Amino acid sequence: MNSQSQITHKNYPIPAEYGDQLTLDEFVAAHKDKQIVVVQGLGFVGAVMSLVVANSPNNDFAVIGIDLPTPASYWKIQEINTGPFPVLSSDPKVEQFYQEAKSRGNFMATANPYAYSLADVVVVDINLDVQKVSGSQKALEDFSVDLSAFKKACESIAGLCKEDVLILVETTVPPGTCRHIVKPILDEAFTRRQLPLNYRLGHSYERVMPGPNYIDSIQNFYRVYSGIDAASEESVEAFLRKVIKTDEYPLTKLGDTTATEMAKVLENSYRAMNIAFIEEWGEFAEEAKVNLYEIVQAIRMRPTHKNMMLPGLGVGGYCLTKDPLMASWAKQTIFNSPKPLKQSVNAVKINDQMPLRVVSLMDQAFGDLKDKRVLMLGVSYLNDVGDTRYTPIELLYDELTHRGATMVLHDAFVPVWEERGLTVSTDLSEVLNEHYDVIAVTTMHSEYKQTPLIANYLKSHPQTALVDAWGVLDLAQFDGFPNSIYVLGRGDL
Amino acid sequence: MNSQSQITHKNYPIPAEYGDQLTLDEFVAAHKDKQIVVVQGLGFVGAVMSLVVANSPNNDFAVIGIDLPTPASYWKIQEINTGPFPVLSSDPKVEQFYQEAKSRGNFMATANPYAYSLADVVVVDINLDVQKVSGSQKALEDFSVDLSAFKKACESIAGLCKEDVLILVETTVPPGTCRHIVKPILDEAFTRRQLPLNYRLGHSYERVMPGPNYIDSIQNFYRVYSGIDAASEESVEAFLRKVIKTDEYPLTKLGDTTATEMAKVLENSYRAMNIAFIEEWGEFAEEAKVNLYEIVQAIRMRPTHKNMMLPGLGVGGYCLTKDPLMASWAKQTIFNSPKPLKQSVNAVKINDQMPLRVVSLMDQAFGDLKDKRVLMLGVSYLNDVGDTRYTPIELLYDELTHRGATMVLHDAFVPVWEERGLTVSTDLSEVLNEHYDVIAVTTMHSEYKQTPLIANYLKSHPQTALVDAWGVLDLAQFDGFPNSIYVLGRGDL
C-alpha cells in the first residue's frame, strides 16, 4: 500500500471493521437522483444536522454520517443505522425527523472513510477543542489550540474526495482556519492527486441549541456563510437554500471565510463577556442591599440595552467556555498579532470562577459546611436539557465537597453525571424525602420554578436554608417562612 | 446673622446681586393654582427638564430654574428670563417649548436660594463629577469622587425647603447617595429647624440625548424611579405622571433609591463595556483582513446580540467616560467593598485610549506625520450635535500635533472648540479649498455621509489619504480612486 493507493476508492484498503463498502455503494446507487451529503462528526451538531439535511423539504439529499471507529463514537454509527437515534432530546421533532429519514431510506452512518469518495458535499461538524490549563479553583492560567486532529480529519477528506466536492466547514474554528489551514491541505492533496483545484470550500455556522427547539435552531434560523472564492460561495448558498428555510430566515453572505469564522467566535465572546460583566454587579447589588434582577429588567426596557444579562451560578457548555480563547489564539498564532484579545480571555477567566461566589455566599451564611447535607438541584449547565459538558456545577460541587459537605444531586435530565461517574436522582419528590441543611438551585430547570415541592419542603423543614443561584424561584411562595433564603444578586432579602 | 436666620425666608439675607425676591414672590402669587417646581442646575439636563415641566400637558406647574451666580452659570439665568433659551439644539421642540412657557408665563430663572423656600418640588439636576488622574496618552491611573459641591447644594435645599417638599434627585450619583448622603443631610437640617421629617425624597433618572430628539428623550421615554419610603414613592410617581407621557412609556418603580441610582450607572457601564469589548476585535479584523462592520451586522440579526457595538474613534461625553468609575467608587467607598468593579473601570481605561488606534493606523500608513496637513472632520463626540465635552478627538488631536502635523478642524455644530480655545470651520466646501495630506472623519455627522464634497476632493487630489474612524462613508463612492483609504476595523480594504 502506498499513499497513491488511498486516493481512488477502488484501491482503498477498508479495515475489517468497516465492512460496509458494498452497503455504501448500494446506498448511493439507490439515490442516483440525489446529492450525496457526508456529515463528518456525529456529535450534538453533526447528528442533528444530518437529520435536517435528510429531511430537506424537496428530498434533495441522501446523507451519510461518518465518525471514528472508536468506543466514544462507533456506537452512534450503529444506533443511527439500527435505532434508536443516538441523541436524546426534549424536542419531539428529533425523533420525528429520524423516523421520516428512515422511511425515506436516505440516511445511514459509517466509520468508513470510503464515504468521502462518494460525497457531493462534505459537511464538517467535528469538534475542535481548546486545551485549558487551570490552577486551583479553576483559575485559568494558560490555553492552547491543538489543530492536529482537525487537520487529520481534513486530510482524510482531501485524500479521497471528488474533484468538484463542496466542503462546508461548520465546526467552530479559529478565525483564519479555512483559508490558512484547510485550503493548503486541500491544495497539497489535490496537487499530489494530480487533480485540478476544482473543489469548493466554504464556512457556515449553525446556532444550534440542544433542547426543545433543537431542530428549529438548525432549520429555522439565520445563517451566515462564506466561500473561499465566488464558485464556493455559490455552492454553499445553493446547498443551504435547500436545507434551511431561507425565505423566512435569509442567509447573510460575508466577504471571506475568515469573516464568518470570526463572526461565530465573536458572537460567543460577546455573550461570555456580558456574563462576566454582570458578575461584579451581582456582588455590588448584594453589598448595596438591592435587587439586581429588578434593576436589569428596568434597564432592558431600552432597546439598546435588551441584551443585558442576569446574574447566575456560572457558564458551561461547549462554546462560551472556549470560543473567546480560540479567537485570541488565532489572533496571535494565525495572524501573528503581538496582542491577545485581553478582555475576551478575561471574560472566560471570570466566568470559570463564577461558582465561587455561591460558595462564598454559603460560607458567609453557614460558617462551617462540614457534615452539612446539601441538595443540589440541577447538574446540567443549561435549563431543560441534560448537558453536563463543562457544567459550572462541577466547581461548586468540588468546593463544597472539599469543605466536608455531603452532596446529593438531582436533575431530571441527567440520570448519570458521566464526567464524574455519579448517579443523579431524577425524581424530585423522592430526593426530598431526606433531610438537608441546604437546598441549592443550581440549574434553571423549569421544574424547579413550577413545582410546589420545594416550598412544601421548606415549610416543613424550617431549619433548611435555600440558595437560589439563578433567581429562578418565585419568592412569594416562601413569604412568611422562617427559613434562610439567599438569592445571588439580591441584597434586598 | 446666625444659621437660624437662614431657615425662614423672611430673615434670609439676600445678596445684592439676587435682588429678585419680590419677583419670585410675585411669580408664585401669580401661579397660586399650580405646584411650584424648582429645578436646581440649568445644564444640558436641567434647562431642558425645566422646559418639559413648564410644558406639562395639564399646565400643572410653575417652574423656577436655579443655578449659581457664577460666570459659568449666571448667563443661563439671564437668558432664560430674557431669551434666547441658553441651550442651542437641532431639536425644534426646544424653541417651541420655550416660547410656549413664555406665553404661559410659568417659567423663570434665578440664582436666589430663596426659591427653595417656595418649592413644592425640587428637582436636582446639578453635575457630579469624577476626578480622573490620567498619565500620558490619557492612561487612567486613578480616580475619585468629590461630593462636597453636591452636598453643599443639598444643604441649600435642606436649610430652606418646605416641610413637605418633594426632592427628586435626577443627577447621576454614586449608588447609595440618596439614602446614605442626602437623607442624613435632610434629617440633620430638619432636626435643626425643629421640623418633623415630612419631606419626600426620591430618585429618577432621565435618558436625555441632546440632539434632534432632545425634548422627546425626556418627555417621551421610559423612566425608572424610586423613593426613600412609600410616601416618597407616591409623590415621585404623581409628579412624573404629570410630566412624562407615562401611558405610552410606563414608569418602572424600583425597591430603593440605591437601586435606581445603580440602574443609571449600570446602563452606562454596559454601554462603555460593550464599546471597550469591540475595540480589540476591530484590531483583530484589521490583522485578519476582514470587515468587522459586516460581521457585526450579521451577528445583530440575532435578537440576543442586537446591542453589539461597532468600532469607532472613541468615547466622549459626560456619562460613559465617568459613570463606571462612579459606580466602582461607590462600591468601595459607600459600601466598603474590598473589590472594585474591575471590568467596568477597565472599560473606561480602554475607551479613554481608543483614539490611539487611529493614531497608530496613521503612523503605519504615513510613517512620518511631521508637516503633514491633516483635516479632521468632526470635533463633537456625538453625531449631529455640537457637544465637545470629553471628546475623544482631543487625544487624536494632541498626538498628531505632537508628531508635527498641521491640524485643520471642521464641524458644522462646533464653531469654537471651547475647551481648546480653537476656531473650527463650519463650512465644509470652504475648508476643502486647501490642500491636505490626510482627511480624517472623526465624528459620525450625517453631513459627511451625505455630501459629495469629500469624494470630489479625493478624485481631484489623488495623493490625499482618507481615514474613516467610524466606517461612516459609502466606500462605493471611492471605487476606482487611487487614494489610500483606511477604515477602522476594515482589514479587507
Side-chain angles (χ1 to χ4, degrees):
Chain A
M1 182 182 79
N2 58 46
S3 69
Q4 288 298 319
S5 71
Q6 295 180 356
I7 60 166
T8 60
H9 59 82
K10 290 204 174 148
N11 293 329
Y12 191 81
I14 299 148
E17 71 262 42
Y18 296 150
D20 61 354
Q21 178 168 344
L22 260 176
T23 320
L24 284 165
D25 283 334
E26 282 166 18
F27 181 80
V28 171
H31 295 288
K32 274 204 177 113
D33 55 329
K34 298 196 177 69
Q35 280 198 295
I36 304 299
V37 179
V38 169
V39 177
Q40 186 189 46
L42 297 172
F44 274 85
V45 181
V48 180
M49 177 67 181
S50 302
L51 285 184
V52 170
V53 177
N55 281 268
S56 76
N58 296 322
N59 205 0
D60 295 301
F61 306 109
V63 180
I64 305 170
I66 184 166
D67 213 321
L68 297 173
T70 59
S73 297
Y74 199 68
W75 65 275
K76 297 180 207 166
I77 294 163
Q78 290 172 309
E79 287 199 357
I80 285 174
N81 288 331
T82 60
F85 189 66
V87 177
L88 292 176
S89 171
S90 53
D91 182 2
K93 275 195 183 174
V94 170
E95 181 60 20
Q96 198 182 307
F97 272 46
Y98 179 63
Q99 293 306 333
E100 173 62 22
K102 285 274 121 178
S103 78
R104 287 185 181 184
N106 68 341
F107 180 28
M108 67 167 287
T110 182
N112 194 340
Y114 172 65
Y116 297 127
S117 68
L118 308 170
D120 299 301
V121 180
V122 178
V123 179
V124 177
D125 273 330
I126 59 175
N127 279 353
L128 205 168
D129 290 335
V130 173
Q131 287 72 45
K132 286 161 95 164
V133 181
S134 300
S136 73
Q137 296 190 318
K138 276 212 168 177
L140 183 69
E141 286 168 2
D142 200 5
F143 61 92
S144 61
V145 177
D146 178 2
L147 282 175
S148 55
F150 180 82
K151 283 182 183 172
K152 222 175 134 182
C154 293
E155 282 157 8
S156 311
I157 303 169
L160 292 161
C161 64
K162 288 186 187 172
E163 182 185 322
D164 60 350
V165 68
L166 164 65
I167 298 170
L168 177 60
V169 177
E170 291 198 331
T171 299
T172 303
V173 293
T177 294
C178 278
R179 189 164 290 281
H180 300 284
I181 304 216
V182 181
K183 186 176 183 299
I185 288 172
L186 285 163
D187 288 351
E188 194 273 334
F190 272 56
T191 306
R192 180 164 43 76
R193 291 169 67 191
Q194 297 179 307
L195 294 174
L197 303 183
N198 283 346
Y199 65 83
R200 317 280 161 101
L201 173 59
H203 181 260
S204 175
Y205 60 94
E206 32 58 42
R207 280 133 166 182
V208 64
M209 283 297 274
N213 303 309
Y214 207 159
I215 292 283
D216 280 343
S217 72
I218 291 183
Q219 194 178 38
N220 292 319
F221 210 66
Y222 306 103
R223 278 257 187 172
V224 180
Y225 77 97
S226 61
I228 210 88
D229 50 30
S232 297
E233 287 173 355
E234 276 167 36
S235 296
V236 175
E237 187 190 341
F239 174 68
L240 291 177
R241 282 203 183 285
K242 291 177 187 156
V243 174
I244 318 283
K245 297 205 174 136
T246 53
D247 43 345
E248 277 172 75
Y249 299 92
L251 299 170
T252 306
K253 183 175 83 174
L254 297 187
D256 190 60
T257 49
T258 302
T260 56
E261 291 162 347
M262 190 181 288
K264 171 72 181 204
V265 289
L266 174 53
E267 273 192 33
N268 286 334
S269 298
Y270 172 75
R271 204 96 175 137
M273 185 267 318
N274 271 289
I275 293 169
F277 167 75
I278 207 70
E279 170 64 359
E280 290 182 329
W281 290 81
E283 187 184 68
F284 189 13
E286 288 162 26
E287 292 165 346
K289 308 216 173 302
V290 296
N291 178 349
L292 189 61
Y293 299 87
E294 67 162 22
I295 292 174
V296 172
Q297 289 304 350
I299 293 175
R300 282 179 175 170
M301 297 278 279
R302 298 186 71 176
T304 51
H305 290 67
K306 270 222 180 312
N307 300 158
M308 190 176 279
M309 306 292 287
L310 287 166
L313 173 69
V315 176
Y318 189 68
C319 298
L320 271 55
T321 53
K322 70 164 188 11
D323 288 2
L325 308 179
M326 192 178 266
S328 189
W329 181 88
K331 188 172 190 285
Q332 298 209 267
T333 311
I334 299 184
F335 296 102
N336 301 311
S337 173
K339 293 190 206 158
L341 292 166
K342 257 198 221 171
Q343 297 180 85
S344 301
V345 169
N346 203 37
V348 174
K349 211 179 269 192
I350 289 163
N351 294 344
D352 279 355
Q353 295 204 298
M354 270 174 78
L356 295 179
R357 279 222 320 113
V358 175
V359 174
S360 86
L361 200 150
M362 286 196 182
D363 281 343
Q364 277 168 41
F366 306 107
D368 190 357
L369 282 160
K370 192 161 156 38
D371 298 329
K372 290 274 189 293
R373 284 180 56 80
V374 179
L375 172 62
M376 297 219 307
L377 298 178
V379 177
S380 173
Y381 82 91
L382 201 62
N383 52 312
D384 304 326
V385 176
D387 194 341
T388 55
R389 294 174 298 167
Y390 308 104
T391 177
I393 281 84
E394 215 167 90
L395 178 55
L396 180 61
Y397 180 88
D398 289 346
E399 288 294 314
L400 298 185
T401 306
H402 180 73
R403 281 161 174 73
T406 304
M407 310 296 293
V408 178
L409 306 170
H410 171 270
D411 195 314
F413 297 87
V414 183
V416 177
W417 185 1
E418 285 189 13
E419 289 87 345
R420 291 303 175 98
L422 288 170
T423 305
V424 177
S425 166
T426 54
D427 184 334
L428 187 58
S429 67
E430 191 183 84
V431 85
L432 284 173
N433 280 329
E434 293 176 43
H435 164 78
Y436 304 103
D437 299 292
V438 188
I439 296 179
V441 179
T442 45
T443 306
M444 281 190 287
H445 290 318
S446 312
E447 182 184 7
Y448 305 137
K449 214 170 184 165
Q450 289 153 3
T451 183
L453 292 174
I454 300 169
N456 291 345
Y457 185 93
L458 290 195
K459 201 166 193 174
S460 58
H461 297 75
Q463 303 302 320
T464 301
L466 179 69
V467 176
D468 183 352
W470 292 101
V472 71
L473 299 181
D474 174 15
L475 293 190
Q477 283 193 296
F478 307 106
D479 237 11
F481 287 16
N483 309 66
S484 303
I485 293 177
Y486 304 88
V487 180
L488 208 71
R490 291 204 54 178
D492 61 325
L493 294 177
Chain B
M1 180 183 81
N2 57 48
S3 69
Q4 288 298 319
S5 70
Q6 295 180 354
I7 60 167
T8 60
H9 58 83
K10 292 206 172 144
N11 293 326
Y12 191 81
I14 298 148
E17 71 262 40
Y18 295 150
D20 61 353
Q21 179 168 344
L22 260 177
T23 320
L24 284 164
D25 283 333
E26 281 165 17
F27 181 80
V28 171
H31 295 287
K32 273 203 177 115
D33 56 329
K34 300 197 177 69
Q35 280 198 293
I36 305 298
V37 179
V38 170
V39 177
Q40 186 189 44
L42 297 171
F44 274 86
V45 181
V48 180
M49 178 67 181
S50 303
L51 285 184
V52 171
V53 177
N55 280 268
S56 76
N58 296 321
N59 204 0
D60 295 301
F61 306 109
V63 180
I64 305 171
I66 184 166
D67 212 321
L68 298 173
T70 60
S73 296
Y74 199 69
W75 65 275
K76 297 180 207 165
I77 294 164
Q78 290 171 309
E79 287 199 357
I80 285 173
N81 289 331
T82 60
F85 190 67
V87 176
L88 292 175
S89 172
S90 53
D91 181 2
K93 276 196 183 175
V94 170
E95 180 59 20
Q96 198 181 307
F97 272 45
Y98 179 62
Q99 292 307 332
E100 173 63 21
K102 284 275 122 180
S103 77
R104 288 185 181 184
N106 69 341
F107 181 27
M108 67 167 287
T110 182
N112 193 341
Y114 172 68
Y116 297 126
S117 68
L118 308 169
D120 300 301
V121 180
V122 178
V123 179
V124 178
D125 273 330
I126 58 174
N127 279 354
L128 205 169
D129 290 335
V130 173
Q131 288 71 45
K132 286 161 95 165
V133 181
S134 301
S136 73
Q137 297 190 319
K138 276 212 168 178
L140 183 69
E141 286 168 2
D142 201 4
F143 60 92
S144 61
V145 177
D146 179 2
L147 282 175
S148 55
F150 181 81
K151 284 182 184 170
K152 222 175 135 183
C154 294
E155 283 158 8
S156 312
I157 304 169
L160 292 163
C161 64
K162 289 187 188 172
E163 182 184 323
D164 60 349
V165 67
L166 164 64
I167 298 170
L168 178 59
V169 177
E170 290 198 331
T171 300
T172 303
V173 293
T177 295
C178 279
R179 190 164 288 281
H180 300 284
I181 303 207
V182 181
K183 186 177 182 299
I185 288 173
L186 285 163
D187 288 351
E188 195 273 332
F190 272 55
T191 306
R192 181 164 42 75
R193 290 169 66 192
Q194 298 180 306
L195 295 173
L197 303 182
N198 283 346
Y199 65 83
R200 316 280 162 101
L201 172 59
H203 180 259
S204 175
Y205 59 94
E206 34 57 41
R207 281 134 164 180
V208 64
M209 283 297 274
N213 302 310
Y214 207 160
I215 292 283
D216 280 343
S217 71
I218 291 184
Q219 194 179 38
N220 292 318
F221 210 66
Y222 306 104
R223 278 258 187 171
V224 181
Y225 77 97
S226 60
I228 209 88
D229 51 30
S232 297
E233 287 172 355
E234 277 166 35
S235 296
V236 175
E237 188 190 341
F239 174 67
L240 291 176
R241 279 201 186 287
K242 290 178 189 156
V243 174
I244 317 285
K245 298 211 172 130
T246 54
D247 44 343
E248 279 173 73
Y249 298 91
L251 299 170
T252 307
K253 183 175 84 172
L254 296 187
D256 191 58
T257 49
T258 303
T260 56
E261 292 162 345
M262 190 181 288
K264 171 72 181 203
V265 289
L266 175 52
E267 273 192 33
N268 286 335
S269 298
Y270 172 75
R271 204 95 174 138
M273 185 267 320
N274 271 290
I275 293 169
F277 167 75
I278 207 70
E279 169 64 358
E280 290 182 331
W281 289 81
E283 186 184 69
F284 189 13
E286 288 162 27
E287 291 165 345
K289 307 215 173 303
V290 296
N291 177 349
L292 189 61
Y293 299 87
E294 67 162 23
I295 291 173
V296 171
Q297 288 304 351
I299 294 174
R300 283 178 174 171
M301 297 278 279
R302 298 186 72 177
T304 51
H305 289 68
K306 271 225 181 309
N307 300 159
M308 190 177 279
M309 306 293 285
L310 287 167
L313 173 70
V315 176
Y318 189 68
C319 298
L320 271 55
T321 52
K322 72 164 188 6
D323 288 2
L325 308 179
M326 191 178 268
S328 189
W329 181 89
K331 188 173 190 285
Q332 299 208 268
T333 310
I334 299 184
F335 297 102
N336 301 311
S337 173
K339 292 189 206 158
L341 293 166
K342 256 197 223 172
Q343 295 178 85
S344 301
V345 170
N346 203 37
V348 174
K349 210 178 271 192
I350 289 164
N351 294 344
D352 279 354
Q353 296 204 296
M354 270 174 77
L356 296 178
R357 279 224 319 112
V358 174
V359 174
S360 87
L361 201 150
M362 286 196 182
D363 282 342
Q364 279 169 40
F366 307 107
D368 191 357
L369 282 161
K370 192 160 155 40
D371 298 328
K372 290 274 190 293
R373 284 181 56 80
V374 179
L375 172 62
M376 296 219 307
L377 298 178
V379 177
S380 173
Y381 81 91
L382 202 62
N383 51 312
D384 304 326
V385 177
D387 194 340
T388 56
R389 294 175 297 167
Y390 307 104
T391 177
I393 280 84
E394 215 167 271
L395 178 55
L396 180 61
Y397 180 89
D398 289 347
E399 288 293 316
L400 299 186
T401 306
H402 180 74
R403 281 161 175 72
T406 304
M407 310 296 294
V408 178
L409 306 171
H410 171 269
D411 195 315
F413 297 87
V414 184
V416 177
W417 185 1
E418 286 189 11
E419 290 86 345
R420 292 302 175 100
L422 288 170
T423 305
V424 177
S425 165
T426 54
D427 184 334
L428 188 58
S429 66
E430 190 183 85
V431 85
L432 285 173
N433 281 329
E434 294 176 43
H435 163 77
Y436 304 103
D437 299 292
V438 189
I439 296 179
V441 179
T442 45
T443 306
M444 282 190 286
H445 290 318
S446 313
E447 182 183 7
Y448 306 137
K449 215 170 181 163
Q450 290 153 3
T451 184
L453 292 175
I454 301 170
N456 290 347
Y457 186 92
L458 289 195
K459 202 168 192 174
S460 58
H461 297 74
Q463 302 302 320
T464 301
L466 179 69
V467 176
D468 183 352
W470 292 101
V472 71
L473 298 181
D474 174 14
L475 293 190
Q477 284 192 296
F478 308 106
D479 237 12
F481 288 15
N483 310 66
S484 302
I485 293 178
Y486 304 88
V487 180
L488 208 71
R490 290 204 55 178
D492 61 325
L493 295 178

